[in-house]
């Protein structure tokens, strides 16, 4: 049985900050990994989109992604669209790729695009009929997930940890590709998206479960088929 994993992202760089080390591990486990970025990630600030796309291509190549797809929905504007306009392209991608596993944004992120992607993914992955998705998993993104208010319905509560001790430097290297865009997406420390912070966050998650470095996830649904 083919094993496909689909990573849904609101913006270029979400794939690296959220799932970068895990992508490498998925490849080692025999998965074909696909990344689908739904907005250009920049037009809320400026109109220079090409460097962002090129950075995403380089980062995904470093991580070993099999194929990268782009949509062109409005950056920081997904909450202004009918939700169906976000559900439809996600559903079409799922139909085309038939992924067993889908990673998506945490529903309590500060970023409104992230929250919209989460809500759309819940609809697109409903466990009904011939939907191929057997695992739905959310990931955290630095400077969004941890900045949510300390309320239960916003909180990210990880119950899956992936050891990225051998991959953390690859994750940092991929993230640094986003410093080569029109406006760098890699601020200086102590910003959460700095290279130093990437290592610190991964080390913190690792400490929680006895690993050197880890990425944390929250399983929303997992269907065990006997």
């Amino acid at each position: 049985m083919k094993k496909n994993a689909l990573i849904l992202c609101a913006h270029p760089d979400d794939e690296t900050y959220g799932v970068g080390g895990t992508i490498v591990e998925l490849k080692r486990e025999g998965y074909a990994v696909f990344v689908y970025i739904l907005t250009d990630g920049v037009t809320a600030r400026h109109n220079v989109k090409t460097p962002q796309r090129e950075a995403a291509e380089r980062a995904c190549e470093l991580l070993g992604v099999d194929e990268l797809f782009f949509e062109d929905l409005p950056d920081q504007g997904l909450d202004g669209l009918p939700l169906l306009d976000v559900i439809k392209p996600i559903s079409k991608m799922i139909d085309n790729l038939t992924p067993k596993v889908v990673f998506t944004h945490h529903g309590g992120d500060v970023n409104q695009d992230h929250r919209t992607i989460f809500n759309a993914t819940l609809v697109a992955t409903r466990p009904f009929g011939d939907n191929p998705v057997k695992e739905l998993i959310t990931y955290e993104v630095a400077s969004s997930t941890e900045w949510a208010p300390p309320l239960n319905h916003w909180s990210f509560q990880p119950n899956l940890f992936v050891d990225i001790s051998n991959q953390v430097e690859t994750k940092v290297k991929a993230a640094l590709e986003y410093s080569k865009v029109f406006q760098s997406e890699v601020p200086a420390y102590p910003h959460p998206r700095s290279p130093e912070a990437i290592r610190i966050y991964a080390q913190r998650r690792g400490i929680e479960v006895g690993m050197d470095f880890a990425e944390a996830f929250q399983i929303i649904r997992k269907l065990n088929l006997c």
Side-chain angles (χ1 to χ4, degrees), residues 42-87:
V42 298
T43 47
R45 295 169 288 157
H46 59 76
N47 292 316
V48 186
K49 297 191 290 186
T50 300
Q52 215 81 11
R53 181 172 292 211
E54 292 173 346
E57 291 169 347
R58 293 191 301 269
C60 285
E61 183 176 2
L62 284 168
L63 297 173
V65 171
D66 288 88
E67 195 163 358
L68 170 62
F69 301 93
F70 295 96
E71 201 61 45
D72 199 27
L73 298 177
D75 175 45
Q76 301 304 330
L78 296 186
D79 59 330
L81 298 176
L83 188 61
L84 189 60
D85 288 353
V86 186
I87 295 168

Coordinates of all heavy atoms in Angstrom, one line a residue, residues 42-87:
V42 N 3.0 36.8 1.5 CA 3.7 38.1 1.5 C 2.8 39.3 1.2 O 3.0 40.4 1.6 CB 4.9 38.2 0.6 CG1 5.9 37.2 1.0 CG2 4.5 38.0 -0.9
T43 N 1.7 39.1 0.4 CA 1.0 40.3 -0.2 C 0.2 41.1 0.9 O -0.2 42.2 0.5 CB 0.0 39.8 -1.3 OG1 -0.8 38.7 -0.8 CG2 0.8 39.4 -2.5
A44 N 0.2 40.6 2.1 CA -0.3 41.5 3.2 C 0.7 42.6 3.5 O 0.3 43.6 4.1 CB -0.7 40.7 4.4
R45 N 1.9 42.4 3.1 CA 3.0 43.3 3.4 C 3.6 44.0 2.1 O 4.0 45.1 2.1 CB 4.2 42.6 4.1 CG 3.8 42.1 5.5 CD 4.8 41.2 6.0 NE 4.8 39.9 5.3 CZ 5.9 39.1 5.3 NH1 7.0 39.4 5.9 NH2 5.8 37.9 4.7
H46 N 3.8 43.2 1.0 CA 4.3 43.7 -0.2 C 4.0 42.8 -1.3 O 3.3 41.7 -1.1 CB 5.9 43.8 -0.1 CG 6.6 42.5 0.2 ND1 6.8 41.5 -0.7 CD2 7.1 42.1 1.4 CE1 7.4 40.5 -0.1 NE2 7.6 40.8 1.1
N47 N 4.3 43.1 -2.6 CA 3.9 42.3 -3.7 C 5.0 41.5 -4.4 O 4.9 41.0 -5.5 CB 3.3 43.2 -4.8 CG 2.0 43.8 -4.3 OD1 1.1 43.1 -3.8 ND2 1.7 45.1 -4.5
V48 N 6.2 41.4 -3.7 CA 7.3 40.6 -4.3 C 7.2 39.2 -3.9 O 7.7 38.7 -2.9 CB 8.6 41.2 -3.8 CG1 9.8 40.5 -4.6 CG2 8.7 42.7 -4.1
K49 N 6.5 38.4 -4.7 CA 6.1 37.0 -4.4 C 7.1 36.0 -4.8 O 7.2 34.9 -4.2 CB 4.7 36.7 -4.9 CG 3.6 37.6 -4.4 CD 2.2 37.0 -4.8 CE 1.9 37.2 -6.3 NZ 0.5 36.8 -6.6
T50 N 7.8 36.2 -5.9 CA 8.6 35.2 -6.5 C 9.7 34.7 -5.6 O 9.9 33.4 -5.5 CB 9.2 35.7 -7.8 OG1 8.2 36.0 -8.7 CG2 10.1 34.6 -8.5
P51 N 10.4 35.5 -4.9 CA 11.5 35.0 -4.0 C 11.0 34.1 -2.9 O 11.6 33.1 -2.5 CB 12.1 36.3 -3.4 CG 11.8 37.4 -4.4 CD 10.5 37.0 -4.9
Q52 N 9.7 34.4 -2.4 CA 9.1 33.5 -1.4 C 8.9 32.1 -1.9 O 9.2 31.1 -1.3 CB 7.8 34.1 -1.0 CG 7.5 34.0 0.5 CD 8.2 35.0 1.4 OE1 8.8 35.9 0.8 NE2 8.2 34.8 2.7
R53 N 8.4 32.0 -3.1 CA 8.1 30.7 -3.8 C 9.4 30.0 -4.0 O 9.6 28.8 -3.7 CB 7.4 30.9 -5.1 CG 7.0 29.6 -5.7 CD 6.1 29.8 -6.9 NE 4.8 30.2 -6.5 CZ 3.7 29.9 -7.2 NH1 3.7 29.2 -8.3 NH2 2.5 30.3 -6.7
E54 N 10.4 30.7 -4.5 CA 11.7 30.1 -4.7 C 12.4 29.6 -3.4 O 13.0 28.5 -3.4 CB 12.7 31.1 -5.4 CG 12.2 31.4 -6.8 CD 13.0 32.5 -7.5 OE1 13.7 33.2 -6.8 OE2 12.9 32.6 -8.7
A55 N 12.2 30.4 -2.3 CA 12.7 29.9 -1.0 C 12.0 28.6 -0.6 O 12.7 27.7 0.0 CB 12.6 31.0 0.0
A56 N 10.7 28.6 -0.8 CA 10.0 27.4 -0.4 C 10.5 26.2 -1.2 O 10.6 25.1 -0.7 CB 8.5 27.6 -0.7
E57 N 10.8 26.4 -2.5 CA 11.3 25.3 -3.3 C 12.6 24.8 -2.8 O 12.9 23.6 -2.8 CB 11.3 25.8 -4.8 CG 10.0 26.0 -5.4 CD 10.1 26.7 -6.8 OE1 11.1 27.2 -7.1 OE2 9.0 26.7 -7.5
R58 N 13.5 25.7 -2.5 CA 14.8 25.3 -2.0 C 14.7 24.6 -0.6 O 15.4 23.6 -0.4 CB 15.7 26.5 -1.9 CG 16.1 27.2 -3.2 CD 17.2 28.2 -3.0 NE 16.9 29.3 -2.1 CZ 16.3 30.4 -2.5 NH1 16.0 30.6 -3.7 NH2 16.1 31.3 -1.6
A59 N 13.9 25.2 0.3 CA 13.7 24.5 1.6 C 13.1 23.1 1.5 O 13.6 22.2 2.1 CB 12.8 25.4 2.4
C60 N 12.1 23.0 0.6 CA 11.5 21.7 0.5 C 12.5 20.7 -0.2 O 12.4 19.5 0.1 CB 10.2 21.8 -0.3 SG 8.9 22.5 0.7
E61 N 13.3 21.2 -1.1 CA 14.3 20.3 -1.7 C 15.3 19.8 -0.6 O 15.7 18.6 -0.6 CB 15.1 21.0 -2.8 CG 16.1 20.1 -3.5 CD 16.7 20.8 -4.7 OE1 16.5 22.0 -4.9 OE2 17.6 20.2 -5.3
L62 N 15.7 20.7 0.3 CA 16.6 20.3 1.4 C 16.0 19.3 2.3 O 16.7 18.3 2.8 CB 17.0 21.5 2.2 CG 18.1 22.5 1.6 CD1 18.1 23.8 2.4 CD2 19.4 21.8 1.6
L63 N 14.7 19.4 2.5 CA 14.0 18.5 3.4 C 13.6 17.1 2.7 O 13.2 16.2 3.4 CB 12.7 19.1 4.0 CG 13.0 20.4 4.8 CD1 11.7 21.1 5.1 CD2 13.7 20.1 6.1
G64 N 13.7 17.1 1.4 CA 13.4 15.9 0.7 C 11.9 15.7 0.3 O 11.5 14.6 0.0
V65 N 11.2 16.8 0.2 CA 9.8 16.8 -0.2 C 9.7 16.3 -1.6 O 10.5 16.7 -2.5 CB 9.2 18.2 -0.1 CG1 7.8 18.2 -0.7 CG2 9.1 18.6 1.4
D66 N 8.7 15.4 -1.9 CA 8.6 14.8 -3.2 C 8.0 15.8 -4.2 O 8.5 15.9 -5.4 CB 7.7 13.6 -3.1 CG 8.4 12.4 -2.5 OD1 8.3 12.3 -1.2 OD2 9.0 11.6 -3.2
E67 N 7.0 16.6 -3.7 CA 6.4 17.6 -4.6 C 5.8 18.7 -3.8 O 5.2 18.4 -2.8 CB 5.4 17.0 -5.6 CG 5.0 17.9 -6.7 CD 4.3 17.1 -7.9 OE1 4.2 15.9 -7.8 OE2 3.9 17.8 -8.8
L68 N 6.0 19.9 -4.3 CA 5.5 21.1 -3.6 C 4.4 21.8 -4.5 O 4.7 22.0 -5.7 CB 6.6 22.1 -3.4 CG 6.3 23.5 -2.9 CD1 5.6 23.5 -1.6 CD2 7.6 24.3 -2.9
F69 N 3.3 22.1 -3.9 CA 2.2 22.7 -4.7 C 1.9 24.0 -4.1 O 2.0 24.2 -2.9 CB 0.9 21.8 -4.6 CG 1.1 20.4 -5.2 CD1 1.5 19.4 -4.3 CD2 1.0 20.1 -6.5 CE1 1.6 18.1 -4.8 CE2 1.1 18.9 -7.0 CZ 1.5 17.8 -6.1
F70 N 1.5 25.0 -4.9 CA 1.1 26.3 -4.5 C -0.3 26.6 -4.9 O -0.7 26.3 -6.0 CB 2.0 27.4 -5.1 CG 3.4 27.3 -4.7 CD1 4.4 26.6 -5.4 CD2 3.9 27.9 -3.5 CE1 5.7 26.5 -5.0 CE2 5.2 27.8 -3.1 CZ 6.1 27.1 -3.8
E71 N -1.1 27.2 -4.0 CA -2.3 27.9 -4.4 C -2.0 29.4 -4.3 O -0.9 29.8 -4.0 CB -3.4 27.5 -3.4 CG -4.8 27.7 -3.9 CD -5.1 26.8 -5.1 OE1 -4.8 25.7 -5.2 OE2 -5.8 27.4 -6.0
D72 N -3.0 30.2 -4.6 CA -2.7 31.7 -4.6 C -3.8 32.4 -3.9 O -4.3 33.4 -4.4 CB -2.5 32.2 -6.1 CG -1.8 33.5 -6.1 OD1 -1.0 33.8 -5.2 OD2 -2.1 34.3 -7.1
L73 N -4.2 31.9 -2.8 CA -5.2 32.6 -2.0 C -4.6 33.8 -1.3 O -3.4 33.8 -1.1 CB -5.8 31.6 -1.0 CG -6.6 30.4 -1.6 CD1 -7.0 29.4 -0.5 CD2 -7.7 30.8 -2.5
P74 N -5.4 34.7 -0.8 CA -4.9 36.0 -0.3 C -4.2 35.8 1.1 O -4.8 35.2 2.0 CB -6.1 36.9 -0.2 CG -7.3 36.0 -0.1 CD -6.9 34.8 -0.9
D75 N -3.0 36.3 1.1 CA -2.2 36.2 2.4 C -2.9 37.1 3.5 O -3.3 38.2 3.2 CB -0.8 36.8 2.1 CG 0.0 36.9 3.4 OD1 0.0 36.0 4.2 OD2 0.7 38.0 3.6
Q76 N -3.0 36.5 4.6 CA -3.7 37.1 5.8 C -5.2 37.5 5.4 O -5.7 38.5 6.0 CB -2.9 38.3 6.3 CG -1.5 38.0 6.7 CD -1.5 36.9 7.8 OE1 -2.4 36.8 8.6 NE2 -0.4 36.2 7.8
G77 N -5.7 36.8 4.5 CA -7.1 37.1 4.1 C -8.0 35.9 4.0 O -9.2 36.0 3.6
L78 N -7.5 34.7 4.5 CA -8.4 33.5 4.4 C -9.6 33.6 5.2 O -10.7 33.1 4.8 CB -7.6 32.3 4.8 CG -6.3 31.9 3.9 CD1 -5.8 30.6 4.4 CD2 -6.7 31.9 2.5
D79 N -9.6 34.4 6.3 CA -10.8 34.5 7.1 C -11.8 35.4 6.5 O -13.0 35.4 6.9 CB -10.4 35.0 8.5 CG -9.7 36.4 8.5 OD1 -9.0 36.7 7.5 OD2 -9.9 37.2 9.4
G80 N -11.5 36.1 5.4 CA -12.4 36.9 4.7 C -13.1 36.2 3.6 O -14.0 36.7 2.9
L81 N -12.7 34.9 3.3 CA -13.2 34.1 2.2 C -14.3 33.2 2.8 O -14.3 32.9 3.9 CB -12.2 33.3 1.6 CG -11.0 33.9 0.9 CD1 -10.0 32.9 0.4 CD2 -11.4 34.8 -0.3
P82 N -15.3 32.9 1.9 CA -16.2 31.8 2.3 C -15.4 30.5 2.6 O -14.4 30.2 1.8 CB -17.1 31.6 1.1 CG -17.0 32.9 0.4 CD -15.6 33.4 0.6
L83 N -15.6 29.9 3.7 CA -14.8 28.7 4.1 C -14.7 27.7 2.9 O -13.7 27.0 2.7 CB -15.3 28.1 5.4 CG -14.4 27.0 5.9 CD1 -13.0 27.5 6.3 CD2 -15.1 26.3 7.2
L84 N -15.8 27.6 2.2 CA -15.9 26.6 1.1 C -14.8 26.9 0.1 O -14.3 26.0 -0.6 CB -17.2 26.7 0.4 CG -17.5 25.6 -0.6 CD1 -17.4 24.2 0.0 CD2 -18.9 25.8 -1.3
D85 N -14.3 28.2 -0.1 CA -13.3 28.5 -1.0 C -11.9 28.0 -0.6 O -11.0 27.9 -1.4 CB -13.2 30.0 -1.2 CG -14.3 30.6 -2.0 OD1 -15.2 29.8 -2.5 OD2 -14.5 31.8 -2.1
V86 N -11.8 27.6 0.7 CA -10.6 27.0 1.2 C -10.7 25.5 1.2 O -9.8 24.8 1.0 CB -10.2 27.6 2.6 CG1 -8.9 27.1 3.1 CG2 -10.2 29.1 2.6
I87 N -11.9 25.0 1.5 CA -12.1 23.6 1.6 C -11.9 23.0 0.2 O -11.3 21.9 0.1 CB -13.6 23.3 2.1 CG1 -13.7 23.8 3.5 CG2 -13.9 21.8 2.0 CD1 -15.2 23.8 4.0

